[in-house]
Amino acid sequence: MSDDGSFGVVEGVSMALGGMIGGGIYAVLGVVTTIAGATTWAAFVLAGVVALCAAYSYTVLNAIADQNGGSVTFVQCFTGNTTLAGMTGWTLLFGYVGSMAMYAFAFGEFAVALPAVPESAFGVPLRPVVSVAAVAGFTGLILLGSRVTGQAENVLVGAKVAILVAFGVGGIAYVYLVSPDPAEYGVGGVASFGPIMAAGVSFVAFQGWQLLFYDQENMSDPVGTTRRAVLISIPAAVLVYVLVAVATYNLAPEALRSHPHTALTDAAARIAGVVGLAEVGAVIMSLSALFSTGSAINATLFSTGHFAKGLLSKDLLPDRVGDASADGVPERTLLSLGVITAALTVVGTLGAITNFASIAFIVVFAAMSALAFRHRDADAVDPVPPAVGAVGAGAFLPLMTWHLYTTRPGTFYTVVALAAFVVGVELLYFERETLAEEIEPVEEILDDVGG
């Protein structure tokens, strides 16, 4: 952190990595592996490349816009369309809620995986109970004003990343030095549709970086800091994901088939078992997952609350959702986010939540990349990354939905219903005046007929 209290590249990288690695790998690894198998590492690489190109698009839009900001600001600045800006903001808001529900779901899964915690009590499954308790707990902490400082976040993120890197390196060392079976990378399947579809599903694991764009008022050099931070953090996240994916697939293939959401604990147990500490290794990984997913809920809820406050200040959310003039995150806004997140983590499945959140971010990242490509004549814009971001994210969406339709129709219909609900609510809100103008003549005709 700089002398004037603003944060620089180190803190920016820490925040971005915390948003991505904080809960992403624990929540999506099992879902992605069931699709891509041994080529899971390739899915993370592909998703990371598209996310990096989208991040580049954000940084150039940030440089040429009239004001610093994120997706909503860019749409408002470059299109002047308030409805489109509002729908972009709402789509992101629902995407963040989906991410938090995904983290809470994973938090509950890893909690009941601990040896001392039963899967149910009095006939009630404990996973949903733990997930809701986690959301409620972190909502309460934020209402009380509890927040990790930037310097402490550096330490916390460093610890989380160190554990996962140690796990990944240790797992690969185990495969080559201890395991009698050869390492599997699925190289022959890299060119198939599996990794591409899995990359779309894993996209939600690369969404944390853009939250930096909403904290630029705390940076001494907003444009330069955000640019360097996101372009460093995404490749770093890809490296960690690849290490963990390769290690887990080779160490715990059976666990990935039987209980994919917590297969990391089985892989950690196998590594630690070399020195007779299998149970300790599993517990450490479960606790690390609880800490990581918990901190991801906390950080995302806090940032999403501020994002929603920004929407309120621009009249892009109804006033009853919160008071834009309140200090910090408006209480009603935070409670609303917490209630919706808790409901989604109870009634949804991890697959449906993950896919829904990924679709939200795919749509917005593709739109921002296309917007940057439209301004390719500006000196700051190289047209290649925005083109890759727009085409890549645009291709993920139909491939992902087709895969869901053919392999998991129940999840497909759930995701479609959620997406239709979100778009319907957005259109009803932002086009309410137009709709009222169109309905009024119809009402007059009906009144005349009735009279």
Side-chain angles (χ1 to χ4, degrees), residues 150-412:
Q151 291 175 324
E153 184 71 6
N154 293 341
V155 177
L156 297 174
V157 171
K160 291 186 287 187
V161 173
I163 290 172
L164 286 173
V165 170
F167 165 80
V169 172
I172 293 173
Y174 181 96
V175 170
Y176 281 100
L177 300 177
V178 180
S179 176
D181 302 318
E184 288 188 52
Y185 296 99
V187 176
V190 169
S192 66
F193 281 124
I196 300 174
M197 290 183 288
V201 176
S202 72
F203 213 66
V204 68
F206 292 97
Q207 59 84 16
W209 54 266
Q210 87 280 1
L211 293 172
L212 280 178
F213 289 85
Y214 310 130
D215 285 328
Q216 292 184 76
E217 69 275 6
N218 296 319
M219 303 177 190
S220 55
D221 175 21
V223 173
T225 297
T226 52
R227 180 187 180 92
R228 288 189 289 272
V230 298
L231 297 183
I232 290 170
S233 61
I234 294 174
V238 170
L239 177 61
V240 174
Y241 288 170
V242 167
L243 285 172
V244 172
V246 171
T248 306
Y249 185 82
N250 282 278
L251 290 175
E254 291 299 324
L256 283 169
R257 283 187 284 272
S258 61
H259 48 280
H261 308 327
T262 56
L264 274 167
T265 58
D266 292 63
R270 191 171 177 186
I271 296 171
V274 174
V275 291
L277 297 173
E279 187 172 336
V280 173
V283 170
I284 289 175
M285 183 54 69
S286 291
L287 292 175
S288 172
L290 287 174
F291 175 76
S292 296
T293 51
S295 66
I297 297 169
N298 185 53
T300 308
L301 183 58
F302 184 88
S303 297
T304 303
H306 278 281
F307 176 66
K309 182 180 179 181
L311 295 179
L312 283 166
S313 67
K314 296 177 181 179
D315 295 325
L316 297 178
L317 278 176
D319 292 339
R320 62 189 60 175
V321 173
D323 181 6
S325 63
D327 293 332
V329 181
E331 183 175 314
R332 275 178 295 162
T333 304
L334 194 64
L335 289 172
S336 299
L337 291 171
V339 168
I340 297 171
T341 299
L344 190 57
T345 199
V346 169
V347 302
T349 64
L350 186 57
I353 295 169
T354 302
N355 280 282
F356 171 72
S358 285
I359 286 173
F361 293 114
I362 285 171
V363 170
V364 174
F365 288 1
M368 294 306 104
S369 297
L371 194 59
F373 185 76
R374 281 182 56 190
H375 292 81
R376 59 190 178 277
D377 294 334
D379 293 337
V381 182
D382 180 338
V384 175
V388 173
V391 173
F396 283 158
L397 186 59
L399 286 172
M400 203 170 92
T401 52
W402 173 252
H403 170 75
L404 283 177
Y405 176 73
T406 55
T407 62
R408 293 177 174 81
T411 299
F412 169 79

Side-chain angles (χ1 to χ4, degrees), residues 80-181:
N81 190 320
T82 301
T83 295
L84 195 57
M87 292 182 70
T88 300
W90 280 39
T91 300
L92 275 176
L93 200 59
F94 279 103
Y96 294 140
V97 169
S99 297
M100 290 186 289
M102 179 184 74
Y103 300 147
F105 197 110
F107 184 96
E109 289 275 1
F110 279 98
V112 298
L114 289 168
V117 180
E119 292 188 1
S120 62
F122 305 105
V124 177
L126 286 184
R127 198 285 305 162
V129 175
V130 173
S131 295
V132 170
V135 174
F138 289 113
T139 301
L141 283 175
I142 296 174
L143 286 173
L144 291 173
S146 173
R147 190 193 182 195
V148 178
T149 64
Q151 291 175 324
E153 184 71 6
N154 293 341
V155 177
L156 297 174
V157 171
K160 291 186 287 187
V161 173
I163 290 172
L164 286 173
V165 170
F167 165 80
V169 172
I172 293 173
Y174 181 96
V175 170
Y176 281 100
L177 300 177
V178 180
S179 176
D181 302 318

